Short mmCIF file of all heavy atoms in Angstrom, two decimals:
data_model
loop_
_atom_site.label_atom_id
_atom_site.label_comp_id
_atom_site.label_asym_id
_atom_site.label_seq_id
_atom_site.Cartn_x
_atom_site.Cartn_y
_atom_site.Cartn_z
N THR O 107 -4.79 -4.50 -19.95
CA THR O 107 -5.23 -4.81 -18.60
C THR O 107 -4.37 -5.93 -18.04
O THR O 107 -4.28 -7.01 -18.62
CB THR O 107 -6.71 -5.23 -18.59
OG1 THR O 107 -7.51 -4.14 -19.08
CG2 THR O 107 -7.18 -5.60 -17.18
N ILE O 108 -3.71 -5.66 -16.90
CA ILE O 108 -2.86 -6.67 -16.27
C ILE O 108 -3.47 -7.20 -14.97
O ILE O 108 -2.99 -8.19 -14.43
CB ILE O 108 -1.42 -6.14 -16.02
CG1 ILE O 108 -1.43 -4.91 -15.12
CG2 ILE O 108 -0.72 -5.86 -17.34
CD1 ILE O 108 -0.04 -4.46 -14.67
N ASN O 109 -4.52 -6.54 -14.50
CA ASN O 109 -5.23 -7.04 -13.34
C ASN O 109 -6.58 -6.35 -13.29
O ASN O 109 -6.74 -5.24 -13.80
CB ASN O 109 -4.46 -6.77 -12.05
CG ASN O 109 -4.67 -7.85 -11.01
OD1 ASN O 109 -5.73 -8.48 -10.95
ND2 ASN O 109 -3.66 -8.06 -10.18
N SER O 110 -7.56 -7.01 -12.68
CA SER O 110 -8.88 -6.41 -12.53
C SER O 110 -9.55 -7.00 -11.30
O SER O 110 -9.22 -8.10 -10.86
CB SER O 110 -9.74 -6.62 -13.77
OG SER O 110 -10.05 -7.99 -13.92
N ALA O 111 -10.49 -6.25 -10.76
CA ALA O 111 -11.28 -6.71 -9.62
C ALA O 111 -12.70 -6.19 -9.78
O ALA O 111 -12.91 -5.00 -10.03
CB ALA O 111 -10.68 -6.22 -8.31
N THR O 112 -13.66 -7.08 -9.68
CA THR O 112 -15.06 -6.68 -9.68
C THR O 112 -15.48 -6.61 -8.22
O THR O 112 -15.38 -7.60 -7.49
CB THR O 112 -15.93 -7.67 -10.47
OG1 THR O 112 -15.44 -7.72 -11.82
CG2 THR O 112 -17.39 -7.25 -10.47
N VAL O 113 -15.91 -5.41 -7.80
CA VAL O 113 -16.15 -5.16 -6.38
C VAL O 113 -17.55 -4.59 -6.16
O VAL O 113 -18.10 -3.90 -7.02
CB VAL O 113 -15.09 -4.18 -5.81
CG1 VAL O 113 -13.70 -4.79 -5.86
CG2 VAL O 113 -15.10 -2.86 -6.56
N ASN O 114 -18.10 -4.89 -5.01
CA ASN O 114 -19.37 -4.30 -4.57
C ASN O 114 -19.03 -3.07 -3.75
O ASN O 114 -18.24 -3.13 -2.81
CB ASN O 114 -20.17 -5.29 -3.74
CG ASN O 114 -20.63 -6.47 -4.56
OD1 ASN O 114 -21.14 -6.31 -5.66
ND2 ASN O 114 -20.43 -7.67 -4.04
N ILE O 115 -19.65 -1.95 -4.12
CA ILE O 115 -19.39 -0.68 -3.45
C ILE O 115 -20.69 -0.20 -2.83
O ILE O 115 -21.69 -0.04 -3.54
CB ILE O 115 -18.85 0.37 -4.46
CG1 ILE O 115 -17.55 -0.13 -5.11
CG2 ILE O 115 -18.64 1.71 -3.77
CD1 ILE O 115 -17.04 0.75 -6.24
N PRO O 116 -20.71 0.02 -1.52
CA PRO O 116 -21.93 0.53 -0.89
C PRO O 116 -22.10 2.02 -1.14
O PRO O 116 -21.16 2.71 -1.55
CB PRO O 116 -21.71 0.23 0.59
CG PRO O 116 -20.23 0.25 0.76
CD PRO O 116 -19.66 -0.26 -0.55
N ASN O 117 -23.28 2.54 -0.85
CA ASN O 117 -23.53 3.97 -0.93
C ASN O 117 -22.66 4.69 0.10
O ASN O 117 -22.46 4.19 1.21
CB ASN O 117 -25.02 4.23 -0.65
CG ASN O 117 -25.39 5.68 -0.81
OD1 ASN O 117 -24.80 6.40 -1.60
ND2 ASN O 117 -26.36 6.12 -0.04
N GLY O 118 -22.12 5.84 -0.25
CA GLY O 118 -21.29 6.62 0.65
C GLY O 118 -19.81 6.37 0.42
O GLY O 118 -19.40 5.92 -0.65
N SER O 119 -18.99 6.65 1.44
CA SER O 119 -17.55 6.42 1.30
C SER O 119 -17.22 5.02 1.80
O SER O 119 -17.80 4.55 2.78
CB SER O 119 -16.75 7.46 2.07
OG SER O 119 -16.97 7.34 3.45
N SER O 120 -16.30 4.36 1.11
CA SER O 120 -15.89 3.01 1.51
C SER O 120 -14.51 2.70 0.96
O SER O 120 -14.06 3.29 -0.02
CB SER O 120 -16.90 1.95 1.05
OG SER O 120 -16.94 1.91 -0.36
N ARG O 121 -13.85 1.75 1.61
CA ARG O 121 -12.54 1.28 1.17
C ARG O 121 -12.75 0.03 0.34
O ARG O 121 -13.43 -0.90 0.77
CB ARG O 121 -11.64 1.01 2.37
CG ARG O 121 -10.23 0.65 1.93
CD ARG O 121 -9.20 1.02 2.98
NE ARG O 121 -9.00 2.44 3.16
CZ ARG O 121 -8.26 3.19 2.36
NH1 ARG O 121 -7.64 2.68 1.32
NH2 ARG O 121 -8.10 4.47 2.61
N VAL O 122 -12.16 0.01 -0.87
CA VAL O 122 -12.28 -1.11 -1.79
C VAL O 122 -10.96 -1.86 -1.82
O VAL O 122 -9.90 -1.28 -2.10
CB VAL O 122 -12.63 -0.61 -3.21
CG1 VAL O 122 -12.64 -1.75 -4.21
CG2 VAL O 122 -13.97 0.12 -3.20
N THR O 123 -11.00 -3.15 -1.52
CA THR O 123 -9.79 -3.98 -1.52
C THR O 123 -9.46 -4.43 -2.93
O THR O 123 -10.32 -4.95 -3.65
CB THR O 123 -10.00 -5.21 -0.61
OG1 THR O 123 -10.27 -4.74 0.71
CG2 THR O 123 -8.76 -6.10 -0.60
N LEU O 124 -8.20 -4.23 -3.35
CA LEU O 124 -7.75 -4.61 -4.69
C LEU O 124 -6.64 -5.66 -4.65
O LEU O 124 -6.63 -6.59 -5.43
CB LEU O 124 -7.26 -3.37 -5.45
CG LEU O 124 -8.31 -2.28 -5.67
CD1 LEU O 124 -7.66 -1.05 -6.30
CD2 LEU O 124 -9.44 -2.79 -6.53
N ASN O 125 -5.64 -5.47 -3.80
CA ASN O 125 -4.46 -6.36 -3.73
C ASN O 125 -3.82 -6.58 -5.10
O ASN O 125 -3.51 -7.70 -5.49
CB ASN O 125 -4.82 -7.69 -3.07
CG ASN O 125 -5.04 -7.53 -1.58
OD1 ASN O 125 -4.30 -6.79 -0.92
ND2 ASN O 125 -6.06 -8.18 -1.06
N PHE O 126 -3.58 -5.48 -5.82
CA PHE O 126 -2.93 -5.53 -7.13
C PHE O 126 -1.41 -5.39 -6.95
O PHE O 126 -0.95 -4.36 -6.48
CB PHE O 126 -3.38 -4.37 -8.03
CG PHE O 126 -4.79 -4.45 -8.55
CD1 PHE O 126 -5.38 -3.33 -9.09
CD2 PHE O 126 -5.53 -5.62 -8.52
CE1 PHE O 126 -6.68 -3.36 -9.61
CE2 PHE O 126 -6.82 -5.68 -9.02
CZ PHE O 126 -7.39 -4.54 -9.57
N PRO O 127 -0.62 -6.41 -7.34
CA PRO O 127 0.83 -6.21 -7.39
C PRO O 127 1.13 -5.15 -8.46
O PRO O 127 0.61 -5.22 -9.57
CB PRO O 127 1.38 -7.57 -7.80
CG PRO O 127 0.26 -8.54 -7.60
CD PRO O 127 -1.01 -7.75 -7.73
N LEU O 128 1.96 -4.17 -8.11
CA LEU O 128 2.30 -3.10 -9.05
C LEU O 128 3.70 -3.31 -9.59
O LEU O 128 4.66 -3.32 -8.81
CB LEU O 128 2.20 -1.74 -8.36
CG LEU O 128 0.83 -1.35 -7.81
CD1 LEU O 128 0.91 0.02 -7.13
CD2 LEU O 128 -0.22 -1.35 -8.91
N PRO O 129 3.83 -3.46 -10.91
CA PRO O 129 5.17 -3.59 -11.49
C PRO O 129 5.84 -2.23 -11.60
O PRO O 129 5.17 -1.20 -11.71
CB PRO O 129 4.87 -4.15 -12.88
CG PRO O 129 3.53 -3.58 -13.23
CD PRO O 129 2.77 -3.54 -11.92
N VAL O 130 7.14 -2.22 -11.57
CA VAL O 130 7.89 -0.97 -11.80
C VAL O 130 7.61 -0.54 -13.23
O VAL O 130 7.67 -1.35 -14.16
CB VAL O 130 9.39 -1.19 -11.56
CG1 VAL O 130 10.19 0.04 -11.98
CG2 VAL O 130 9.65 -1.54 -10.10
N GLY O 131 7.26 0.72 -13.41
CA GLY O 131 6.98 1.22 -14.75
C GLY O 131 6.38 2.61 -14.71
O GLY O 131 6.09 3.16 -13.64
N THR O 132 6.18 3.17 -15.89
CA THR O 132 5.61 4.51 -16.02
C THR O 132 4.28 4.42 -16.76
O THR O 132 4.03 3.49 -17.53
CB THR O 132 6.55 5.46 -16.77
OG1 THR O 132 6.82 4.92 -18.07
CG2 THR O 132 7.87 5.64 -16.02
N SER O 133 3.46 5.40 -16.51
CA SER O 133 2.17 5.57 -17.18
C SER O 133 1.24 4.37 -17.03
O SER O 133 0.51 4.03 -17.95
CB SER O 133 2.37 5.92 -18.66
OG SER O 133 3.08 7.13 -18.77
N LEU O 134 1.28 3.72 -15.85
CA LEU O 134 0.28 2.71 -15.55
C LEU O 134 -1.04 3.43 -15.30
O LEU O 134 -1.05 4.64 -15.05
CB LEU O 134 0.68 1.89 -14.33
CG LEU O 134 1.75 0.83 -14.57
CD1 LEU O 134 3.13 1.42 -14.51
CD2 LEU O 134 1.61 -0.29 -13.58
N GLU O 135 -2.15 2.70 -15.36
CA GLU O 135 -3.45 3.31 -15.14
C GLU O 135 -4.29 2.48 -14.18
O GLU O 135 -4.28 1.26 -14.24
CB GLU O 135 -4.22 3.45 -16.46
CG GLU O 135 -3.56 4.35 -17.46
CD GLU O 135 -4.30 4.39 -18.80
OE1 GLU O 135 -5.37 3.75 -18.92
OE2 GLU O 135 -3.81 5.05 -19.72
N LEU O 136 -5.01 3.16 -13.30
CA LEU O 136 -6.02 2.55 -12.46
C LEU O 136 -7.32 3.22 -12.84
O LEU O 136 -7.47 4.43 -12.65
CB LEU O 136 -5.72 2.76 -10.98
CG LEU O 136 -6.70 2.09 -10.02
CD1 LEU O 136 -6.54 0.56 -10.09
CD2 LEU O 136 -6.48 2.58 -8.60
#
Side-chain angles (χ1 to χ4, degrees):
T107 299
I108 59 172
N109 213 330
S110 67
T112 301
V113 296
N114 294 314
I115 301 172
N117 184 31
S119 65
S120 64
R121 186 152 290 280
V122 175
T123 300
L124 299 174
N125 287 320
F126 289 165
L128 299 179
V130 172
T132 59
S133 299
L134 282 84
E135 297 176 3
L136 183 69

